[in-house]
Amino acid sequence: MSENQNLLAEQRRALILDEVRRRGGVRVNELTRKLGVSDMTVRRDLDALARQGVLEKVHGGAVPVVEASTHEPGFEAKSGLELTAKEDIARAAAQLVAPGAAIALSGGTTTYALAHQLVDVADLTVVTNSVRVADVFHVAQRTSGPRQGAATVVLTGGVRTPSDSLVGPVADQAIAALHFDVLFLGVHGISLEAGLSTPNLAEAETNRRLVQSARRVVVIADHTKWGVVGLSSFAALHQVDTLVTDRGLPAEARAQVSEQLRRLVVAGEPEDAADS
């Protein structure tokens, strides 16, 4: 079968990972038929995903990695996952931001994608504990030069985590003294029972402070975060105003989310469809 040139490697690997997680394992020959690529291409993709630590290669295929609740992947490992979904989510979430607003962005690869969508929104004040998010605005201003309406960025201090977030007492104290209109929150996991959770205890406390300082909380998370539970919970679902996610979120999960949250936004779908 000829190579499918329509899929970029990152898109193909995202599809493979989703299939592995959804089915609990896949075989190489199944993936070659589904994706329309060669065995060699699939095996290279599996090697790349295995190096990221997101699946385990077995004879003839791959299975999911069973992660401990304390496992915290680094920013680079997470940045290659669900790229299309994150971009879609970021575009949808950016529509919730008004010029002149005071917003906060937590750490994470989805908030990093959102930051890229916000660099041209006028007169924003952006509070963040993410080194990566702060860099997005810094690079944009350095590249375009001084301009009217450029964002004012407040970067909290703190101790850097594997996901390039700043956490700990310094970050917590800085956040506690601030108040912002909307918090855009990336999460490690989200579930009915555990709410929002993370494998990092210090990050859980910093996220808790972010939630307390926000008038409105918007969680931005792709469908793979649903049902994942980290070591420490930092917010219940009823504390979240809006979830912005992607089309991969199953219908049952959508119904459960809609019962707990005021608003569900599925990127690429009209909101009445998301609520149905």
Side-chain angles (χ1 to χ4, degrees):
M1 186 175 292
S2 62
E3 294 286 309
N4 185 344
Q5 300 296 336
N6 293 323
L7 286 178
L8 298 174
E10 63 187 34
Q11 296 172 318
R12 198 171 55 242
R13 289 167 189 173
L15 290 171
I16 290 172
L17 184 59
D18 188 58
E19 193 77 359
V20 169
R21 287 172 168 169
R22 185 173 60 84
R23 296 175 51 191
V26 292
R27 300 187 64 81
V28 170
N29 58 6
E30 294 172 334
L31 292 172
T32 59
R33 288 195 299 270
K34 183 178 182 66
L35 299 173
V37 297
S38 67
D39 281 14
M40 185 177 296
T41 297
V42 169
R43 292 183 191 279
R44 281 199 299 264
D45 289 340
L46 294 179
D47 285 338
L49 291 167
R51 285 194 298 271
Q52 292 179 7
V54 295
L55 59 71
E56 180 181 351
K57 288 185 67 181
V58 296
H59 181 69
V63 295
V65 171
V66 179
E67 296 180 346
S69 61
T70 55
H71 175 66
E72 182 178 9
F75 186 93
E76 298 299 339
K78 293 188 291 186
S79 63
L81 305 178
E82 303 294 336
L83 282 177
T84 301
K86 288 173 184 176
E87 291 297 332
D88 291 344
I89 290 167
R91 283 190 290 270
Q95 300 303 310
L96 306 179
V97 179
I103 66 172
L105 274 69
S106 74
T109 53
T110 311
T111 50
Y112 176 73
L114 174 58
H116 284 87
Q117 299 291 326
L118 297 179
V119 292
D120 292 324
V121 179
D123 299 318
L124 289 181
T125 299
V126 180
V127 177
T128 185
N129 68 322
S130 168
V131 176
R132 302 278 186 151
V133 166
D135 279 348
V136 170
F137 291 97
H138 174 70
V139 170
Q141 292 176 21
R142 186 177 61 191
T143 302
S144 63
R147 62 183 177 84
Q148 187 174 4
T152 299
V153 179
V154 179
L155 178 64
T156 70
V159 178
R160 197 164 179 162
T161 70
S163 60
D164 286 345
S165 300
L166 299 176
V167 301
V170 173
D172 298 346
Q173 185 173 357
I175 293 166
L178 300 172
H179 304 279
F180 24 84
D181 301 314
V182 189
L183 164 64
F184 291 93
L185 188 62
V187 296
H188 172 81
I190 177 171
S191 73
L192 281 178
E193 298 79 11
L196 311 181
S197 62
T198 172
N200 188 305
L201 289 172
E203 188 169 47
E205 181 57 31
T206 299
N207 283 346
R208 198 171 289 120
R209 296 296 181 95
L210 284 168
V211 171
Q212 291 169 353
S213 293
R215 294 185 179 89
R216 187 156 58 97
V217 177
V218 178
V219 171
I220 52 176
D222 68 76
H223 71 279
T224 65
K225 304 298 179 67
W226 180 256
V228 175
V229 177
L231 176 66
S232 179
S233 295
F234 58 86
L237 287 187
H238 67 77
Q239 293 177 268
V240 177
D241 295 277
T242 304
L243 170 64
V244 184
T245 188
D246 65 288
R247 295 181 179 184
L249 190 69
E252 181 181 0
R254 296 187 191 199
Q256 293 171 334
V257 167
S258 296
E259 291 178 359
Q260 298 287 325
L261 276 60
R262 295 180 181 87
R263 186 177 182 188
L264 171 64
V265 177
V266 178
E269 294 183 2
E271 284 198 50
D272 54 354
D275 296 335
S276 60

mmCIF file of all heavy atoms in Angstrom, residues 77-100:
data_model
loop_
_atom_site.group_PDB
_atom_site.id
_atom_site.type_symbol
_atom_site.label_atom_id
_atom_site.label_comp_id
_atom_site.label_asym_id
_atom_site.label_seq_id
_atom_site.Cartn_x
_atom_site.Cartn_y
_atom_site.Cartn_z
ATOM 1 N N ALA A 77 8.099 16.106 26.222
ATOM 2 C CA ALA A 77 7.383 14.843 25.995
ATOM 3 C C ALA A 77 5.907 15.091 25.718
ATOM 4 O O ALA A 77 5.302 14.457 24.847
ATOM 5 C CB ALA A 77 7.544 13.924 27.207
ATOM 6 N N LYS A 78 5.315 16.045 26.422
ATOM 7 C CA LYS A 78 3.889 16.328 26.244
ATOM 8 C C LYS A 78 3.601 17.173 25.005
ATOM 9 O O LYS A 78 2.502 17.109 24.455
ATOM 10 C CB LYS A 78 3.336 17.037 27.489
ATOM 11 C CG LYS A 78 3.320 16.180 28.737
ATOM 12 C CD LYS A 78 2.594 16.856 29.866
ATOM 13 C CE LYS A 78 3.341 18.050 30.393
ATOM 14 N NZ LYS A 78 2.703 18.642 31.594
ATOM 15 N N SER A 79 4.592 17.945 24.590
ATOM 16 C CA SER A 79 4.334 18.889 23.496
ATOM 17 C C SER A 79 4.064 18.198 22.171
ATOM 18 O O SER A 79 3.452 18.777 21.278
ATOM 19 C CB SER A 79 5.516 19.851 23.338
ATOM 20 O OG SER A 79 6.692 19.147 22.967
ATOM 21 N N GLY A 80 4.496 16.948 22.015
ATOM 22 C CA GLY A 80 4.263 16.245 20.758
ATOM 23 C C GLY A 80 2.953 15.481 20.702
ATOM 24 O O GLY A 80 2.656 14.838 19.700
ATOM 25 N N LEU A 81 2.154 15.543 21.777
ATOM 26 C CA LEU A 81 0.927 14.756 21.861
ATOM 27 C C LEU A 81 -0.299 15.596 21.524
ATOM 28 O O LEU A 81 -0.402 16.751 21.939
ATOM 29 C CB LEU A 81 0.776 14.172 23.272
ATOM 30 C CG LEU A 81 1.956 13.343 23.781
ATOM 31 C CD1 LEU A 81 1.694 12.882 25.207
ATOM 32 C CD2 LEU A 81 2.232 12.163 22.864
ATOM 33 N N GLU A 82 -1.228 15.013 20.775
ATOM 34 C CA GLU A 82 -2.522 15.638 20.476
ATOM 35 C C GLU A 82 -2.356 17.069 19.950
ATOM 36 O O GLU A 82 -3.092 17.989 20.339
ATOM 37 C CB GLU A 82 -3.421 15.637 21.729
ATOM 38 C CG GLU A 82 -3.670 14.271 22.318
ATOM 39 C CD GLU A 82 -4.484 13.358 21.392
ATOM 40 O OE1 GLU A 82 -5.219 13.887 20.546
ATOM 41 O OE2 GLU A 82 -4.357 12.130 21.527
ATOM 42 N N LEU A 83 -1.417 17.248 19.037
ATOM 43 C CA LEU A 83 -1.102 18.599 18.564
ATOM 44 C C LEU A 83 -2.298 19.266 17.888
ATOM 45 O O LEU A 83 -2.599 20.442 18.138
ATOM 46 C CB LEU A 83 0.080 18.553 17.592
ATOM 47 C CG LEU A 83 1.464 18.411 18.224
ATOM 48 C CD1 LEU A 83 2.517 18.298 17.137
ATOM 49 C CD2 LEU A 83 1.769 19.592 19.122
ATOM 50 N N THR A 84 -2.971 18.534 17.008
ATOM 51 C CA THR A 84 -4.110 19.112 16.299
ATOM 52 C C THR A 84 -5.216 19.512 17.273
ATOM 53 O O THR A 84 -5.797 20.596 17.165
ATOM 54 C CB THR A 84 -4.658 18.127 15.258
ATOM 55 O OG1 THR A 84 -3.622 17.806 14.332
ATOM 56 C CG2 THR A 84 -5.828 18.730 14.498
ATOM 57 N N ALA A 85 -5.486 18.635 18.236
ATOM 58 C CA ALA A 85 -6.517 18.928 19.230
ATOM 59 C C ALA A 85 -6.160 20.168 20.045
ATOM 60 O O ALA A 85 -7.012 21.026 20.306
ATOM 61 C CB ALA A 85 -6.717 17.725 20.153
ATOM 62 N N LYS A 86 -4.897 20.280 20.429
ATOM 63 C CA LYS A 86 -4.479 21.435 21.230
ATOM 64 C C LYS A 86 -4.622 22.737 20.452
ATOM 65 O O LYS A 86 -5.036 23.760 21.011
ATOM 66 C CB LYS A 86 -3.043 21.241 21.703
ATOM 67 C CG LYS A 86 -2.898 20.176 22.779
ATOM 68 C CD LYS A 86 -1.446 19.897 23.096
ATOM 69 C CE LYS A 86 -1.334 18.768 24.112
ATOM 70 N NZ LYS A 86 0.069 18.402 24.384
ATOM 71 N N GLU A 87 -4.277 22.702 19.181
ATOM 72 C CA GLU A 87 -4.421 23.914 18.367
ATOM 73 C C GLU A 87 -5.896 24.297 18.215
ATOM 74 O O GLU A 87 -6.254 25.477 18.291
ATOM 75 C CB GLU A 87 -3.790 23.689 16.989
ATOM 76 C CG GLU A 87 -2.276 23.565 17.018
ATOM 77 C CD GLU A 87 -1.585 24.821 17.497
ATOM 78 O OE1 GLU A 87 -2.147 25.914 17.306
ATOM 79 O OE2 GLU A 87 -0.487 24.715 18.075
ATOM 80 N N ASP A 88 -6.749 23.304 17.990
ATOM 81 C CA ASP A 88 -8.191 23.574 17.878
ATOM 82 C C ASP A 88 -8.745 24.154 19.181
ATOM 83 O O ASP A 88 -9.532 25.114 19.171
ATOM 84 C CB ASP A 88 -8.944 22.283 17.530
ATOM 85 C CG ASP A 88 -8.652 21.800 16.116
ATOM 86 O OD1 ASP A 88 -8.134 22.587 15.309
ATOM 87 O OD2 ASP A 88 -8.938 20.616 15.831
ATOM 88 N N ILE A 89 -8.331 23.562 20.292
ATOM 89 C CA ILE A 89 -8.777 24.026 21.605
ATOM 90 C C ILE A 89 -8.304 25.456 21.854
ATOM 91 O O ILE A 89 -9.046 26.307 22.348
ATOM 92 C CB ILE A 89 -8.271 23.082 22.711
ATOM 93 C CG1 ILE A 89 -9.003 21.736 22.622
ATOM 94 C CG2 ILE A 89 -8.452 23.699 24.100
ATOM 95 C CD1 ILE A 89 -8.368 20.644 23.458
ATOM 96 N N ALA A 90 -7.051 25.729 21.495
ATOM 97 C CA ALA A 90 -6.491 27.065 21.708
ATOM 98 C C ALA A 90 -7.262 28.114 20.921
ATOM 99 O O ALA A 90 -7.559 29.212 21.443
ATOM 100 C CB ALA A 90 -5.014 27.076 21.307
ATOM 101 N N ARG A 91 -7.615 27.805 19.673
ATOM 102 C CA ARG A 91 -8.369 28.768 18.866
ATOM 103 C C ARG A 91 -9.751 29.019 19.469
ATOM 104 O O ARG A 91 -10.232 30.163 19.498
ATOM 105 C CB ARG A 91 -8.482 28.280 17.424
ATOM 106 C CG ARG A 91 -7.211 28.477 16.608
ATOM 107 C CD ARG A 91 -7.464 28.203 15.139
ATOM 108 N NE ARG A 91 -7.691 26.786 14.892
ATOM 109 C CZ ARG A 91 -6.729 25.924 14.611
ATOM 110 N NH1 ARG A 91 -5.462 26.330 14.528
ATOM 111 N NH2 ARG A 91 -6.999 24.654 14.380
ATOM 112 N N ALA A 92 -10.394 27.945 19.939
ATOM 113 C CA ALA A 92 -11.719 28.109 20.543
ATOM 114 C C ALA A 92 -11.638 28.900 21.847
ATOM 115 O O ALA A 92 -12.474 29.770 22.124
ATOM 116 C CB ALA A 92 -12.354 26.740 20.795
ATOM 117 N N ALA A 93 -10.627 28.618 22.660
ATOM 118 C CA ALA A 93 -10.475 29.309 23.945
ATOM 119 C C ALA A 93 -10.151 30.780 23.745
ATOM 120 O O ALA A 93 -10.592 31.642 24.528
ATOM 121 C CB ALA A 93 -9.384 28.638 24.775
ATOM 122 N N ALA A 94 -9.409 31.108 22.694
ATOM 123 C CA ALA A 94 -9.048 32.501 22.432
ATOM 124 C C ALA A 94 -10.273 33.365 22.180
ATOM 125 O O ALA A 94 -10.255 34.581 22.438
ATOM 126 C CB ALA A 94 -8.096 32.581 21.242
ATOM 127 N N GLN A 95 -11.354 32.739 21.706
ATOM 128 C CA GLN A 95 -12.587 33.493 21.464
ATOM 129 C C GLN A 95 -13.235 33.964 22.763
ATOM 130 O O GLN A 95 -14.125 34.824 22.748
ATOM 131 C CB GLN A 95 -13.585 32.620 20.683
ATOM 132 C CG GLN A 95 -13.082 32.144 19.332
ATOM 133 C CD GLN A 95 -12.688 33.301 18.430
ATOM 134 O OE1 GLN A 95 -13.459 34.245 18.253
ATOM 135 N NE2 GLN A 95 -11.487 33.240 17.867
ATOM 136 N N LEU A 96 -12.793 33.414 23.890
ATOM 137 C CA LEU A 96 -13.355 33.784 25.183
ATOM 138 C C LEU A 96 -12.623 34.963 25.822
ATOM 139 O O LEU A 96 -12.983 35.380 26.928
ATOM 140 C CB LEU A 96 -13.310 32.582 26.134
ATOM 141 C CG LEU A 96 -13.962 31.282 25.637
ATOM 142 C CD1 LEU A 96 -13.803 30.183 26.680
ATOM 143 C CD2 LEU A 96 -15.427 31.509 25.305
ATOM 144 N N VAL A 97 -11.601 35.473 25.140
ATOM 145 C CA VAL A 97 -10.767 36.532 25.708
ATOM 146 C C VAL A 97 -11.116 37.878 25.067
ATOM 147 O O VAL A 97 -11.063 38.018 23.842
ATOM 148 C CB VAL A 97 -9.274 36.229 25.489
ATOM 149 C CG1 VAL A 97 -8.419 37.360 26.069
ATOM 150 C CG2 VAL A 97 -8.907 34.898 26.135
ATOM 151 N N ALA A 98 -11.456 38.855 25.887
ATOM 152 C CA ALA A 98 -11.786 40.196 25.400
ATOM 153 C C ALA A 98 -10.575 41.108 25.547
ATOM 154 O O ALA A 98 -9.803 40.991 26.510
ATOM 155 C CB ALA A 98 -12.952 40.763 26.194
ATOM 156 N N PRO A 99 -10.383 42.040 24.613
ATOM 157 C CA PRO A 99 -9.298 43.020 24.754
ATOM 158 C C PRO A 99 -9.395 43.749 26.086
ATOM 159 O O PRO A 99 -10.492 44.065 26.564
ATOM 160 C CB PRO A 99 -9.538 43.974 23.577
ATOM 161 C CG PRO A 99 -10.273 43.150 22.565
ATOM 162 C CD PRO A 99 -11.149 42.228 23.361
ATOM 163 N N GLY A 100 -8.247 43.994 26.702
ATOM 164 C CA GLY A 100 -8.208 44.718 27.966
ATOM 165 C C GLY A 100 -8.430 43.870 29.197
ATOM 166 O O GLY A 100 -8.392 44.380 30.320
#
